[in-house]
Amino acid sequence: MIAATILAILIIFGVGGGPFGELTSKYMKHPIKETIVEEDRRDKALDGLGDLKDAIKDFNKHVSKDIKQFDKLVKNYESTPEEFDQMVANVLTKRKQEVEKLWQQRSAMLAHIKADEWQTIITSAKAKAEEKAKN
């Protein structure tokens, strides 16, 4: 049970995975520009990408703050189980709202991207990320 609690906390706080959305925020703009030929759809997809990147940035900022708050509770000898319970409850509520916002932003962006274009964009972005990781 303790292991499950620790695992849940790590997932809730986003520990161990690096910044969420790194592929989206760093490597998708150029593939969108290259892949979507129609200027109007391309511009709308890029606007959607910008909104999604902003939402991801906010998400990562909140996760970082929550990790710091959690760390304070862990280090404080006087922390109570109720304080941990309250923090986890608050974080779960925030994460649910943030994930819903991310999903909405992603859906808004994808409304301007065809399925085959999306596969090309994702493949290109992943290749660029892997190339950067090697250097």
Side-chain angles (χ1 to χ4, degrees), residues 18-33:
F20 173 74
E22 186 172 5
L23 181 67
T24 303
S25 60
K26 287 187 177 182
Y27 303 108
M28 289 183 61
K29 186 176 182 177
H30 187 67
I32 287 174
K33 286 181 177 183

Side-chain angles (χ1 to χ4, degrees), residues 82-128:
E82 293 79 14
E83 290 173 308
F84 280 94
D85 289 346
Q86 183 62 47
M87 181 177 188
V88 170
N90 291 341
V91 168
L92 283 172
T93 300
K94 284 192 300 186
R95 289 299 166 269
K96 182 177 185 276
Q97 293 168 348
E98 291 167 342
V99 167
E100 287 172 359
K101 182 178 180 180
L102 288 169
W103 189 257
Q104 289 170 355
Q105 297 295 342
R106 179 183 183 272
S107 296
M109 178 185 69
L110 290 179
H112 307 289
I113 302 173
K114 297 176 184 175
D116 60 323
E117 293 170 333
W118 183 243
Q119 290 308 310
T120 301
I121 291 164
I122 289 295
T123 301
S124 179
K126 284 181 181 178
K128 188 66 172 176

Side-chain angles (χ1 to χ4, degrees), residues 65-79:
K65 285 181 181 179
D66 291 338
I67 290 170
K68 288 176 185 174
Q69 179 69 26
F70 181 72
D71 192 46
K72 284 181 185 178
L73 283 176
V74 169
K75 289 178 179 177
N76 181 358
Y77 185 80
E78 304 290 323
S79 295

